Amino acid sequence: MFRFFRQIRQKLLTENRVSKYLLYAFGEIVLVVIGILIALQVNNWNEERKERRVEKKYFHNLKNDLYTDMEKLEYMIGISQDKVEAAKRVKRKADRDSIGSLYDFSRDLMDLIFVDEFRPDQNTYEEMKSAGNFSSMKNDSLKLKLINLKKTYTEIASAQEHMRYDFNVFLEDFEHYVDWGRYYDLNRSDIPNLVLVYDSVNITKHAEDMKAEVRDLLRNKVFLNNIFLLEINYSYNLNTLKNTRQQITEIIDILDEELSRE
């Protein structure tokens, strides 16, 4: 093709048709420029496609992480609800000076004693940030929501650390009053999986002594203050977890939209 253009130029110059030569030369330059622009556009388009593939891969992994977090949240919401209700039942028993069933009391205390924490999966988020892909994300709404979710996760971690301290204080005080081992047959219990079997024979045999322990515990102001703190902390935690669930739901909806488009 270049040989063809060269022959045309030589013919125009030989025939002394300068004006037409200049016009032709200008047209040739325009064609070259257009060719370069097209090549650049194709290259940019290919780069955008590559970036989009990488972005969609991150979005897919983010979605999987968030679904895992959602399952953990549902589990922790259930635990928090159980703790709030157990704290209320213990307070009612203290207000009425009524012990009720030793089995019911021990179940309430087990709900309060059992501890677990929400630990989100942030691997993809951190990978995006370290690789520089987070800052180049084109969806500003998604970016902002992910930043806010990260802040929420940090707040939850801080609250859990505070609650961990309160729980240790509660447990130390509780153990001063109640011999927990008298309630359960540890040889028949599956302790690693928290499946505890009541020692019904021992409970029946020592019922009066055990009720006296519970009665003293329910009259202890420090213990009751700790129960009150547990109720407040887990009520707050429950509300935070539910709001976090809503945040995740909104982000997953945006990710679905992003993954559905080319």
Side-chain angles (χ1 to χ4, degrees):
M1 180 174 289
F2 288 110
R3 183 179 179 185
F4 172 73
F5 287 140
R6 191 160 49 246
Q7 288 175 350
I8 294 176
R9 286 198 301 268
Q10 289 174 351
K11 184 178 180 180
L12 291 172
L13 288 171
T14 301
E15 296 176 358
N16 199 26
R17 297 163 67 182
V18 178
S19 60
K20 289 188 177 182
Y21 169 75
L22 292 176
L23 182 61
Y24 170 81
F26 175 76
E28 188 176 349
I29 292 171
V30 170
L31 287 175
V32 172
V33 171
I34 291 174
I36 293 173
L37 291 175
I38 291 174
L40 288 173
Q41 183 62 37
V42 170
N43 183 65
N44 290 339
W45 182 67
N46 287 332
E47 287 299 318
E48 288 177 359
R49 287 187 64 189
K50 290 178 183 178
E51 291 175 1
R52 181 61 179 163
R53 281 198 297 269
V54 172
E55 189 175 59
K56 290 183 77 171
K57 181 181 178 180
Y58 278 124
F59 288 168
H60 179 76
N61 292 340
L62 268 176
K63 185 178 174 181
N64 287 338
D65 290 352
L66 291 173
Y67 270 126
T68 300
D69 289 349
M70 188 76 86
E71 291 179 3
K72 296 175 183 177
L73 274 176
E74 295 294 349
Y75 172 70
M76 290 304 303
I77 286 172
I79 288 179
S80 297
Q81 288 175 330
D82 290 344
K83 288 183 179 294
V84 170
E85 293 304 317
K88 289 179 178 178
R89 286 192 293 269
V90 171
K91 285 169 55 184
R92 282 197 297 268
K93 289 176 181 178
D95 291 339
R96 298 170 183 170
D97 197 23
S98 172
I99 297 171
S101 166
L102 287 171
Y103 294 96
D104 290 341
F105 174 78
S106 65
R107 276 191 286 269
D108 286 338
L109 266 294
M110 273 302 297
D111 282 340
L112 291 171
I113 288 172
F114 175 70
V115 173
D116 205 346
E117 295 182 351
F118 173 65
R119 296 180 179 86
D121 187 345
Q122 302 183 74
N123 292 333
T124 303
Y125 177 86
E126 295 299 336
E127 183 182 342
M128 288 181 71
K129 292 199 72 174
S130 62
N133 293 90
F134 186 81
S135 59
S136 62
M137 190 186 302
K138 295 179 176 61
N139 192 320
D140 291 333
S141 176
L142 176 60
K143 188 187 299 184
L144 180 60
K145 286 183 181 296
L146 286 170
I147 291 173
N148 288 335
L149 181 63
K150 172 67 174 179
K151 291 179 181 178
T152 300
Y153 283 169
T154 302
E155 291 171 3
I156 291 175
S158 178
Q160 288 178 159
E161 183 178 358
H162 173 74
M163 291 162 63
R164 200 180 307 135
Y165 172 80
D166 286 347
F167 169 78
N168 288 334
V169 173
F170 161 76
L171 189 60
E172 289 176 7
D173 184 69
F174 167 72
E175 290 175 341
H176 288 159
Y177 286 85
V178 176
D179 183 358
W180 198 241
R182 297 169 73 179
Y183 284 82
Y184 299 101
D185 184 342
L186 299 183
N187 292 324
R188 296 166 57 205
S189 299
D190 183 2
I191 297 176
N193 293 314
L194 295 174
V195 179
L196 301 178
V197 178
Y198 283 109
D199 189 343
S200 300
V201 174
N202 191 64
I203 291 175
T204 301
K205 182 178 180 181
H206 300 283
E208 293 306 316
D209 290 340
M210 294 169 74
K211 285 184 178 181
E213 288 179 346
V214 174
R215 191 173 291 109
D216 289 341
L217 184 65
L218 294 178
R219 291 171 180 172
N220 182 272
K221 291 183 179 179
V222 175
F223 172 78
L224 292 177
N225 283 337
N226 288 332
I227 292 291
F228 177 68
L229 285 175
L230 285 174
E231 181 185 358
I232 290 178
N233 285 338
Y234 279 100
S235 294
Y236 172 80
N237 188 56
L238 181 59
N239 185 63
T240 301
L241 294 175
K242 288 181 177 179
N243 290 338
T244 306
R245 180 174 59 186
Q246 180 61 33
Q247 283 182 274
I248 291 177
T249 299
E250 292 175 0
I251 292 173
I252 289 177
D253 287 342
I254 296 176
L255 288 173
D256 283 336
E257 292 178 6
E258 287 288 336
L259 290 170
S260 66
R261 70 181 185 83
E262 295 298 329

